[in-house]
């Protein structure tokens, strides 16, 4: 068990803590992959040899340090590969590291009774298609003929699904930097049911991200929305922008699109967060010119508003939708 999947139990306003927690993980291994908004993968193969402890023992040390240094508890799954570690995390509880043994027989036993949707990368539509043909568990998928799976979901997807259902984990931990992202979170004072207040929070967060990106002379390629609910569960969705941008209206439109795609019905929302990812220098980004005078006018107004905020404070100029609000 050389791979850990860690999910930090961040407070509602704790998005800014993730880089510090990742830094703590990097004290054990340089091979750490951030999984925003609140998780990470860590490859401990070298750390096990260096510290003379196995992954489960190191997981206990990580949990203690997270609590002692940052006041953040965490849940941890461990397995011989990233896929299995992520699946182990789903059933883990605070204080106990859930593990998947390395023996092939133990892996097959762990996977056999799992629903197809538990496999990372398998969406609801694929799980529904397989379920219609009685392939509702990974054990049944592993026993199904490859030709059947390929006929149902495609040649490449069928082959990959069958491999994963049989415990073949070809994934690897890819070190990345959460610093290549910016986050803005809007917690609600009470669990919020009103979609209009959800959209106002999105507008406020998108405006903040746009202003921060422009101040840093950066653009982002991807926008990620995280909605945290009253039961402490969360939904995260990402969308790649048509072109890298720091333009607040473009970020707001994308944020609204991500929110609408969730189809929330009377959801009790505790917090909404936006994260701008894939940051690049603005002077290296391309921008599709248009003949729309309105778009150019909006961009010029945005430049003037940025100068006003820099001189008089962040609330000197705000969208009309935020007027009189404490968003």
């Amino acid at each position: 068990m050389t791979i850990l999947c860690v999910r930090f139990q961040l407070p509602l306003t704790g998005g800014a803590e993730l880089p510090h927690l990742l830094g703590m993980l990097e004290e054990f291994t340089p091979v750490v992959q951030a999984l925003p908004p609140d998780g990470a993968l860590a490859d401990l193969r070298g750390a096990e040899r260096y510290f003379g402890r196995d992954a489960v023992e190191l997981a206990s040390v990580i949990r203690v340090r997270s609590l002692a240094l940052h006041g953040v508890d965490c849940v941890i799954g461990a397995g011989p590969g990233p896929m299995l570690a992520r699946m182990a995390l789903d059933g883990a509880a605070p204080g106990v590291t859930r593990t998947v043994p390395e023996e092939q027989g133990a892996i097959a036993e762990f996977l056999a009774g799992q629903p197809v949707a538990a496999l990372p990368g398998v969406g609801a539509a694929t799980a529904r298609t397989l379920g219609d043909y009685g392939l509702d568990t990974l054990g049944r998928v592993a026993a199904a003929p490859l030709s059947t799976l390929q006929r149902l979901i495609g040649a490449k997807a069928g082959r990959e699904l069958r491999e994963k259902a049989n415990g073949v984990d070809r994934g690897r931990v890819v070190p990345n930097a959460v610093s290549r992202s910016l986050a803005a979170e809007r917690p609600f004072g009470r669990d919020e049911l009103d979609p209009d207040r959800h959209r106002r929070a999105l507008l406020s967060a998108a405006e903040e991200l746009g202003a921060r990106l422009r101040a840093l002379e950066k653009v982002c390629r991807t926008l990620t929305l995280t909605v945290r609910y009253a039961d402490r569960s969360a939904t995260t969705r990402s969308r790649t922008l048509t072109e890298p941008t720091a333009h607040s209206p473009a970020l707001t439109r994308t944020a609204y699109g991500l929110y609408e795609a969730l189809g929330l019905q009377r959801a009790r929302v505790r917090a909404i967060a936006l994260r701008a990812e894939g940051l690049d220098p603005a002077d290296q980004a391309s921008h599709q010119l248009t003949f729309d005078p309105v778009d150019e006018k909006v961009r010029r107004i945005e430049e003037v508003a940025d100068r006003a905020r820099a001189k008089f404070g962040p609330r000197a100029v705000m969208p009309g939708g935020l007027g009189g609000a404490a968003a």
Side-chain angles (χ1 to χ4, degrees):
M1 294 164 293
T2 57
I3 307 297
L4 296 185
C5 186
V6 185
R7 181 185 297 134
F8 298 104
Q9 296 186 316
L10 297 174
L12 292 178
T13 57
E17 283 293 320
L18 186 58
H20 302 294
L21 292 163
L22 294 179
M24 182 266 295
L25 287 178
E26 288 170 351
E27 296 175 6
F28 294 86
T29 172
V31 190
V32 175
Q33 179 180 343
L35 300 175
D38 56 7
L41 288 168
D43 188 334
L44 297 182
R45 278 176 290 191
E48 288 178 313
R49 293 192 295 269
Y50 182 82
F51 291 103
R53 299 184 179 185
D54 63 25
V56 175
E57 292 173 321
L58 291 174
S60 298
V61 178
I62 288 169
R63 183 179 293 108
V64 170
R65 287 197 181 183
S66 178
L67 279 167
L69 300 178
H70 304 280
V72 176
D73 201 354
C74 56
V75 291
I76 303 176
M83 178 191 78
L84 294 167
R86 294 177 75 162
M87 294 182 71
L89 176 71
D90 287 340
V96 179
T97 300
R98 189 183 187 210
T99 63
V100 179
E102 297 184 14
E103 295 77 16
Q104 190 58 43
I107 292 174
E109 183 179 350
F110 170 79
L111 292 174
Q114 298 269 8
V116 174
L119 199 65
V122 174
T126 299
R128 192 161 48 246
T129 298
L130 294 168
D132 289 343
Y133 289 85
L135 302 173
D136 55 349
T137 67
L138 292 178
R140 292 174 177 173
V141 170
L146 176 60
S147 58
T148 299
L149 298 175
Q150 291 180 321
R151 186 168 60 252
L152 292 175
I153 62 174
K156 181 179 179 181
R159 182 174 62 253
E160 291 179 351
L161 176 63
R162 193 167 189 272
E163 284 187 350
K164 291 178 179 179
N166 280 283
V168 178
D169 190 351
R170 300 188 187 278
R172 61 191 183 93
V173 181
V174 181
N176 57 12
V178 77
S179 59
R180 284 175 55 83
S181 67
L182 292 175
E185 188 159 9
R186 295 293 183 269
F188 296 106
R190 59 184 181 183
D191 299 337
E192 185 57 65
L193 294 167
D194 187 355
D196 290 337
R197 291 188 61 84
H198 298 167
R199 290 173 65 87
R200 184 180 294 177
L202 287 170
L203 173 59
S204 174
E207 284 287 324
E208 178 189 326
L209 285 182
R212 290 169 62 188
L213 286 168
R214 294 190 296 274
L216 294 170
E217 298 183 350
K218 299 281 189 179
V219 293
C220 72
R221 289 183 277 110
T222 302
L223 193 67
T224 297
L225 166 67
T226 299
V227 179
R228 300 183 189 276
Y229 306 105
D231 62 358
R232 302 193 68 85
S233 64
T235 302
T236 300
R237 294 290 184 273
S238 296
R239 183 170 296 176
T240 300
L241 303 168
T242 54
E243 65 179 27
T245 188
H247 189 35
S248 292
L251 297 174
T252 302
R253 286 194 298 271
T254 303
Y256 285 167
L258 287 165
Y259 173 80
E260 297 297 336
L262 293 179
L264 301 181
Q265 299 290 330
R266 300 287 295 172
R268 296 170 59 205
V269 176
R270 188 160 291 181
I272 286 177
L274 287 178
R275 183 178 294 275
E277 301 177 305
L279 307 191
D280 292 312
D283 58 6
Q284 297 180 14
S286 60
H287 169 53
Q288 179 64 49
L289 298 176
T290 70
F291 294 101
D292 183 1
V294 175
D295 181 67
E296 292 305 315
K297 181 180 180 181
V298 170
R299 290 179 184 272
R300 288 198 299 271
I301 292 173
E302 192 171 63
E303 293 174 3
V304 173
D306 285 343
R307 290 197 293 270
R309 293 189 189 103
K311 186 174 183 179
F312 300 108
R315 297 183 66 84
V317 180
M318 296 188 299
L322 298 178

